[in-house]
Amino acid sequence: MDINDKQDLCSPCEYQSKTTLATQWCIDCNEPLCVSCYGNHNAHRYSRNHHVISIESNKMLQSLKIPLNEYCEAHDQEKDLYCSFHNEIICLTCTQTTHGKCVPAVRLSEVSKSAKTSMFVSMLETSLVEVVDKLSVIIRERETNKAKIEKQKTEIFETVKHFRKCINDKLDQVENVIIEDLNAKLEKLNLQIDNNVHFLNDHLNEFDEIQKMIDILKDYASDTQTFIGVRALEKVFHYKEVRLTSFLELIQNLNIEFKVNKDIFVACADIRSFGDIRVQTLDTSYFNFLKNRGQYPINRQLKLSKALEIKIPQESFFRSIILSCVILPNKQMIFVDSHARNKRLIVLNEDGSHDRNINLTSKPFDIAVIDDNKIALSFPWSARKRIGIINMSNSKLDPDILLKNKCYGISYDKERLFVVVKTEGILIMDLCGQVSACLPIEGQGIFYVHVKNDRIYCSDECNDTVQCYDMEGCSIWTFKDSNLESPRSISADDKFILIAGCKTNNVVSVYLDGSLARVICDSDDGINNPTSIYFDSQNLLVCNSSNAQAFLYKVN
């Protein structure tokens, strides 16, 4: 019996010494089943939820010749657990050895739920479609290029024939051409020299005139008059001298010569060719295709450890509403309290102790760090829509930047402010309010903006998306994931983008290419309706919007 025929036999029946043709294959049991055994298998409570496919479908999977399960060679057992710390599939023994200090592993079956509709699979399919479409276009372009050079070949043949016909006519014309060219060039050079001489003569006369004036002053004027007059003449002299110097820098000696084209006297028999056939290579930019297309995520993970749990001081009956927070270069933390009765900045020291409050005249929304001492605040609800700049060392205010419409999210990068302004988009301006660009990026739910490495990140809480744009306002990618609802504040370093999920009570990390979301802290860590985060290469500060709690994490 052929081995393939044996694989089509029902395994449970074969165990009972029966020969029954299998019609189904259980992925979980890894064995074939006949119609009767499949019914029993499907009725049993321990196997009714197994993934069963037809024998033909299983053969198609086997034909892929790719591993569809993981086996631990080190411990001689199946890998059915997932270590989120190392992003690795492991076996049970691995959790007690090489992964003993990692966070508890979870069942692979739990991690792989909804894999077919996951973003990673969707991204791979999208990337494949892009590559296939692009390769199809490239193949068509190659065929078009082949037809093009064939046409060019015919055109070159015609050109050579025409050139041969024109040679005799050209020989008759070359003498007249060279003579006319010589006369024209000589006339032009003579005119250029005459103009130079005229300009120099004018200055010579002007300098002679200045000398005569000096002589008259010396002969007839008093010392005082001479002093005053010479000073005036000195200015005139200096002005004319500068003009003359500039002109002299442009003057060059001119020369004409005749370079004989010796080929014209060569006998036709000695001419080896009418010209050269040259092949040009033109840039197709194909190499940029895979480079610019979204890269696959690198196997890396943001590792954090909680350093501080902060209870934001409440000095009045009205509980704070924190909409934004930052960490200053001196490690102090600032929380923007947007409660209508509070209207203040709460400043805490590095250890979480209260330093001071800075009272404001209207409710602030967002904050951006400018330098060691300065911050910028947006005031969308004030009578005058404005950006305020505060010196933290003395709490003094710079002149406000006034805007026509409500301004919400604000970010600072490379001496520029990026401000979300309703009905306008994102305005790019300097610290004096001079607008250099208005990017038409707007939406009903876009309130927060973050700029890093010439990329603009916006969160749209109405559509549960995060969007990335370049500095021209062109969309690069849009991110959406079931783990992120009502995204608010955004912050990023050189590797990760972090977003506060207000409704999902978590903080989600995303790679810079908009791929692979990962929840890095959630309600189990005390996160509750977060609206504000601040993230750099060393720290992550997360603040809940309404219960006056914040958490400081250190990046490991």
Side-chain angles (χ1 to χ4, degrees):
M1 179 181 291
D2 187 85
I3 188 170
N4 291 326
D5 294 335
K6 188 173 179 61
Q7 287 178 346
D8 290 344
L9 296 179
C10 174
S11 180
C13 288
E14 189 177 18
Y15 179 77
Q16 301 177 59
S17 301
K18 299 178 182 179
T19 303
T20 310
L21 189 65
T23 60
Q24 305 293 321
W25 181 278
C26 178
I27 297 292
D28 298 274
C29 297
N30 194 28
E31 64 179 4
L33 303 169
C34 66
V35 175
S36 177
C37 291
Y38 169 63
N40 296 331
H41 179 276
N42 209 32
H44 200 287
R45 66 175 179 174
Y46 291 112
S47 57
R48 67 180 56 153
N49 293 323
H50 284 191
H51 185 56
V52 180
I53 59 177
S54 67
I55 288 293
E56 290 74 16
S57 299
N58 184 59
K59 289 180 178 179
M60 292 183 65
L61 287 177
Q62 291 178 340
S63 69
L64 297 178
K65 296 182 179 180
I66 57 175
L68 297 178
N69 49 46
E70 295 274 356
Y71 190 80
C72 182
E73 299 290 346
H75 302 122
D76 193 26
Q77 56 184 297
E78 184 182 357
K79 294 182 179 181
D80 58 354
L81 299 172
Y82 177 76
C83 175
S84 60
F85 186 80
H86 290 96
N87 191 22
E88 185 179 342
I89 301 174
I90 61 176
C91 72
L92 180 60
T93 308
C94 288
T95 63
Q96 303 166 4
T97 56
T98 53
H99 295 266
K101 295 183 180 180
C102 300
V103 295
V106 296
R107 287 287 180 187
L108 181 61
S109 57
E110 292 296 322
V111 178
S112 60
K113 281 182 178 179
S114 303
K116 295 180 181 180
T117 58
S118 67
M119 179 168 226
F120 181 76
V121 173
S122 176
M123 284 182 57
L124 179 58
E125 289 179 324
T126 301
S127 299
L128 284 170
V129 171
E130 290 178 2
V131 171
V132 170
D133 289 346
K134 187 62 179 180
L135 286 178
S136 299
V137 171
I138 292 174
I139 291 171
R140 289 197 298 270
E141 289 178 352
R142 296 296 85 222
E143 295 295 334
T144 302
N145 188 223
K146 181 179 178 181
K148 179 181 178 182
I149 59 176
E150 188 66 30
K151 181 180 178 181
Q152 289 172 339
K153 170 189 171 183
T154 303
E155 292 174 349
I156 291 173
F157 281 160
E158 294 299 323
T159 301
V160 170
K161 291 178 181 179
H162 177 71
F163 182 60
R164 180 177 180 180
K165 179 179 180 299
C166 292
I167 287 178
N168 290 335
D169 295 336
K170 284 293 181 181
L171 289 175
D172 293 335
Q173 297 173 7
V174 290
E175 183 178 0
N176 291 333
V177 169
I178 195 67
I179 292 175
E180 291 176 0
D181 186 39
L182 176 62
N183 290 332
K185 284 185 169 60
L186 189 63
E187 182 179 358
K188 183 178 180 180
L189 296 179
N190 286 336
L191 178 61
Q192 183 176 343
I193 293 174
D194 290 342
N195 290 336
N196 291 343
V197 171
H198 179 73
F199 183 88
L200 294 172
N201 280 328
D202 288 345
H203 274 69
L204 179 63
N205 294 333
E206 290 170 353
F207 289 140
D208 286 342
E209 189 65 27
I210 292 174
Q211 182 60 54
K212 290 177 182 179
M213 292 180 183
I214 293 174
D215 291 340
I216 292 174
L217 289 173
K218 291 169 62 177
D219 290 340
Y220 302 108
S222 65
D223 287 342
T224 299
Q225 290 175 324
T226 300
F227 178 77
I228 295 172
V230 169
R231 281 177 59 84
L233 292 175
E234 181 187 21
K235 295 180 181 179
V236 175
F237 171 75
H238 179 69
Y239 170 74
K240 295 183 179 297
E241 185 182 31
V242 170
R243 283 191 62 200
L244 179 62
T245 301
S246 300
F247 181 78
L248 292 176
E249 291 177 354
L250 302 176
I251 293 181
Q252 295 176 323
N253 282 328
L254 304 174
N255 186 52
I256 60 174
E257 63 179 12
F258 178 55
K259 185 177 180 180
V260 177
N261 183 2
K262 296 180 180 180
D263 289 341
I264 204 169
F265 302 108
V266 177
C268 291
D270 295 332
I271 298 177
R272 290 179 293 178
S273 175
F274 283 119
D276 296 325
I277 303 298
R278 298 181 180 180
V279 177
Q280 291 180 310
T281 56
L282 305 179
D283 180 19
T284 61
S285 298
Y286 292 157
F287 71 96
N288 282 327
F289 166 55
L290 291 177
K291 180 179 178 182
N292 292 336
R293 195 180 54 76
Q295 299 294 316
Y296 289 111
I298 300 172
N299 184 16
R300 61 174 183 267
Q301 187 174 353
L302 179 62
K303 301 175 183 178
L304 301 172
S305 59
K306 186 180 291 186
L308 201 61
E309 291 191 13
I310 303 167
K311 189 69 175 177
I312 299 174
Q314 305 294 295
E315 298 183 358
S316 68
F317 175 78
F318 305 102
R319 184 174 292 279
S320 298
I321 298 177
I322 307 300
L323 294 184
S324 185
C325 62
V326 294
I327 300 177
L328 295 177
N330 65 3
K331 306 302 182 183
Q332 283 189 321
M333 297 169 280
I334 303 179
F335 300 90
V336 177
D337 187 352
S338 300
H339 195 287
R341 297 295 183 92
N342 295 337
K343 296 178 294 189
R344 59 180 177 170
L345 300 180
I346 303 170
V347 184
L348 304 185
N349 296 313
E350 184 179 4
D351 61 0
S353 60
H354 185 229
D355 181 77
R356 69 188 191 277
N357 292 340
I358 300 177
N359 294 322
L360 305 169
T361 57
S362 59
K363 289 195 304 179
F365 179 83
D366 201 6
I367 184 172
V369 178
I370 295 175
D371 57 30
D372 292 350
N373 294 315
K374 284 189 176 183
I375 60 170
L377 293 167
S378 61
F379 295 93
W381 299 293
S382 64
R384 298 189 309 164
K385 282 58 178 181
R386 58 191 174 90
I387 301 296
I389 298 177
I390 301 178
N391 190 318
M392 292 300 296
S393 60
N394 54 24
S395 299
K396 289 186 177 179
L397 299 174
D398 287 0
D400 288 336
I401 299 174
L402 301 181
L403 300 168
K404 295 180 181 179
N405 297 296
K406 289 184 177 181
C407 52
Y408 289 94
I410 183 171
S411 183
Y412 181 78
D413 184 64
K414 297 179 181 179
E415 301 183 355
R416 297 173 296 177
L417 287 172
F418 296 77
V419 187
V420 176
V421 181
K422 286 303 174 181
T423 72
E424 295 184 54
I426 294 180
L427 300 186
I428 305 176
M429 64 184 72
D430 60 21
L431 294 179
C432 296
Q434 184 65 40
V435 177
S436 58
C438 178
L439 308 182
I441 301 170
E442 57 178 323
Q444 185 178 356
I446 295 179
F447 293 95
Y448 288 92
V449 64
H450 181 76
V451 179
K452 184 74 174 180
N453 296 333
D454 293 329
R455 289 291 180 265
I456 301 172
Y457 304 103
C458 304
S459 60
D460 188 336
E461 62 176 289
C462 292
N463 295 312
D464 297 330
T465 60
V466 177
Q467 300 155 15
C468 175
Y469 299 88
D470 63 17
M471 286 298 161
E472 303 298 324
C474 298
S475 177
I476 299 176
W477 51 257
T478 297
F479 172 81
K480 186 178 180 69
D481 190 90
S482 59
N483 287 317
L484 182 66
E485 293 181 10
S486 187
R488 301 292 181 88
S489 180
I490 307 176
S491 195
D493 68 354
D494 293 327
K495 296 180 181 179
F496 298 96
I497 307 161
L498 267 59
I499 312 106
C502 189
K503 287 186 179 180
T504 42
N505 298 318
N506 59 13
V507 175
V508 174
S509 71
V510 178
Y511 291 140
L512 298 181
D513 61 0
S515 67
L516 201 61
R518 191 186 302 276
V519 176
I520 60 172
C521 53
D522 55 19
S523 56
D524 292 340
D525 303 293
I527 307 300
N528 182 20
N529 298 127
T531 55
S532 55
I533 61 173
Y534 179 86
F535 175 57
D536 57 30
S537 59
Q538 297 178 330
N539 306 283
L540 167 63
L541 180 61
V542 185
C543 187
N544 297 333
S545 62
S546 56
N547 68 1
Q549 277 191 310
F551 306 90
L552 179 64
Y553 293 85
K554 294 295 182 181
V555 179
N556 297 329

